[in-house]
Amino acid sequence: MPHTMTAEQEMVRLMARDFARKELEPLAARRDREEIFPADVIRKMGTLGLLGMMVPEEYGGSGAGAVSYCLALQEIAYSCASTGVTMSVANLSTEPLLKFGNEPQKLSHLVRLARGELLGCFALTEPGAGSDPGSLQLRAEDKGDHYLVNGTKVFITHGAYADVVNLIARTGPEKGNKGLSAFIVERGTPGFCVGAREDKLGLRASNTVELIFEDCRVPRENLVGRPGLGFKIAMSALDSGRIGIASQAIGIGRACLDESVKYAHERRQFGRAIGSFQAIQWMIADMATGIEAAHLLTITAADRKDRELPFSKEASMAKLFASETANRASYLALQIHGGYGYTKEFKVERLYRDARATTIYEGTSEIQRLVIAREVMKG
Ligand code: CAA
């Protein structure tokens, strides 16, 4: 496990921090309030290599690796958790092609996704298939030179802005997680449109929509991997995705901690700064300890990914612990701020709402425990 960052990792972290504090922090509250998806900022992130961090340079990525990715994403999410989830899903969207795509698909799509010239999204969830994607219904019928796609996906992060959709569809007669296949579908393909936008509790500057497919003809060459491999492609992309969400949660947690420390020094009650009370100090100590532990778990998972070791269990541990820690940290930060924390005047109100999603998407805490327990009990 790397206890110290390499010079390159530290450079990436500082670059992301500088970008986040200048480009995200000043407008994050307004973007949240007015639900503005910062498409221009996302494009800039692409040019900085932040959307293809785990893709090697030969395929247009920055080749920075998973550890650098975690450090950068923490910094982005610290300033704007909405942009954090956008960055996480954009990077996740490079994984299916990187691991399972053929050379022409890599050259036509992966390179442009990794450079940020195209924005990718990941479409797995359906109205009746959330924690259990093996029950998904969206159908892609094999018609020879194309597949005919019919069905609906929901809760798709930046689906309205994505140029390329990583779509998981049912192609075979097999039940459950067998008989699923993965495709790339381009925006503008006839029969594919964006449906309703979700009105969310938090992460309001990230876009979350329904995607609708009606007799949509997807060329055969857009099949990723072989038919029937869809579930495994999705699960393996989610392993990386979970490292991203863990990092987003740590960024939120660190912001909660910093806001709390600042407020504890400024706010005076009973004639002294509230930070001089042990009750507040213990909250801060618990937050700091949880965040550090979450960071170490996440870096461990990322380091294993960089070294091409299995990391499903470690990614689930990181996601579980970091997301629960961010929720606890946001609760404590709001408690420290008292009544003011409950108003939109203070950043902790947004952090509290943003943290909530992290224990839900990319696998709930209950699903992470299931993954961890299965791995641990395999013997
Ligand atoms: N990598 C590769 N293969 C994997 C895998 C992984 N991580 N996990 C499982 N598989 C394989 C298994 O080896 C198995 O293969 P065989 O049939 O050849 O043995 C096959 O997939 C089926 O595995 P399981 O029996 O474990 O499958 P299951 O139906 O019991 O489901 C689950 C397991 C862990 C519950 C899984 O369904 C799951 O992760 N659910 C949560 C889904 C989720 O995270 N959704 C998030 C939506 S995306 C999102 O939120 C993005 C966003 O926008 C923010």
Side-chain angles (χ1 to χ4, degrees):
M1 186 174 70
H3 291 287
T4 49
M5 282 182 268
T6 64
E8 194 191 329
Q9 288 162 353
E10 174 67 1
M11 206 174 72
V12 171
R13 189 176 70 85
L14 290 177
M15 179 272 286
R17 172 183 288 188
D18 186 54
F19 178 83
R21 301 305 176 269
K22 284 188 188 138
E23 301 272 348
L24 298 173
E25 190 87 46
L27 289 173
R30 182 171 153 228
R31 288 183 180 131
D32 169 74
R33 225 175 14 253
E34 298 175 13
E35 292 183 88
I36 300 167
F37 179 80
D40 51 334
V41 178
I42 305 299
R43 261 192 301 280
K44 276 192 201 165
M45 288 171 69
T47 61
L48 290 174
L50 292 170
L51 305 186
M53 295 192 71
M54 292 175 289
V55 178
E57 287 175 32
E58 61 176 307
Y59 291 122
S62 64
V67 170
S68 293
Y69 167 58
C70 291
L71 299 170
L73 185 36
Q74 283 184 27
E75 296 296 341
I76 298 294
Y78 179 101
S79 290
C80 176
S82 292
T83 307
V85 71
T86 307
M87 174 174 165
S88 180
V89 172
N91 278 277
L92 179 162
S93 297
T94 62
E95 292 277 306
L97 284 181
L98 179 62
K99 285 202 191 139
F100 299 93
N102 56 34
E103 203 55 19
Q105 289 170 339
K106 286 183 182 169
L107 296 177
S108 62
H109 287 87
L110 179 60
V111 167
R112 299 186 64 204
L113 285 168
R115 284 191 194 136
E117 292 164 11
L118 299 176
L119 182 64
C121 70
F122 181 68
L124 176 68
T125 303
E126 295 182 5
S131 289
D132 177 18
S135 65
L136 69 82
Q137 299 288 327
L138 181 136
R139 182 115 212 131
E141 259 181 278
D142 189 346
K143 297 285 187 187
D145 66 341
H146 69 276
Y147 283 83
L148 197 64
V149 180
N150 279 287
T152 301
K153 294 288 181 185
V154 291
F155 296 130
I156 307 308
T157 298
H158 58 246
Y161 294 88
D163 304 291
V164 177
V165 181
N166 283 277
L167 180 73
I168 309 295
R170 185 165 298 286
T171 47
E174 303 89 343
K175 295 221 165 9
N177 53 48
K178 311 292 176 207
L180 303 184
S181 302
F183 298 90
I184 41 175
V185 182
E186 283 157 28
R187 185 170 34 179
T189 307
F192 161 44
C193 69
V194 174
R197 182 169 60 87
E198 299 299 337
D199 186 7
K200 308 191 297 291
L201 170 73
L203 302 175
R204 290 177 70 78
S206 83
N207 166 266
T208 310
V209 292
E210 192 181 47
L211 300 182
I212 300 167
F213 298 84
E214 281 173 348
D215 286 338
C216 174
R217 290 161 70 108
V218 176
R220 183 165 207 92
E221 58 263 28
N222 287 21
L223 174 74
V224 181
R226 55 177 166 73
L229 213 57
F231 190 79
K232 287 189 186 179
I233 294 176
M235 288 303 112
S236 114
L238 280 172
D239 284 343
S240 298
R242 287 166 184 167
I243 294 180
I245 299 304
S247 306
Q248 182 207 18
I250 296 165
I252 296 171
R254 285 198 200 284
C256 289
L257 179 62
D258 286 358
E259 292 301 309
S260 298
V261 170
K262 191 166 68 163
Y263 192 75
H265 285 311
E266 283 166 12
R267 174 75 173 163
R268 296 182 70 81
Q269 289 292 277
F270 304 101
R272 53 193 180 139
I274 61 168
S276 67
F277 293 111
Q278 200 177 45
I280 303 294
Q281 291 168 7
W282 285 22
M283 288 189 216
I284 286 172
D286 286 349
M287 284 160 84
T289 306
I291 292 161
E292 189 59 25
H295 174 72
L296 292 174
L297 275 175
T298 306
I299 294 297
T300 299
D303 179 55
R304 287 183 69 87
K305 178 169 161 58
D306 281 341
R307 289 191 288 135
E308 297 181 10
L309 296 170
F311 66 98
S312 298
K313 180 187 72 183
E314 288 77 10
S316 283
M317 285 177 163
K319 202 273 187 184
L320 170 64
F321 192 78
S323 62
E324 295 290 345
T325 297
N327 273 272
R328 182 71 187 147
S330 72
Y331 174 90
L332 292 175
L334 206 148
Q335 192 68 16
I336 289 170
H337 282 71
Y340 289 110
Y342 202 60
T343 69
K344 294 200 182 292
E345 197 186 328
F346 284 79
K347 183 176 172 180
V348 292
E349 184 269 344
R350 171 163 52 91
L351 295 170
Y352 185 80
R353 289 183 288 106
D354 288 348
R356 194 64 193 86
T358 63
T359 62
I360 297 169
Y361 54 31
E362 300 212 14
T364 60
S365 290
E366 293 67 34
I367 290 295
Q368 308 310 326
R369 288 187 174 97
L370 186 148
V371 173
I372 297 162
R374 279 186 186 175
E375 288 285 327
V376 170
M377 293 172 81
K378 258 190 206 165

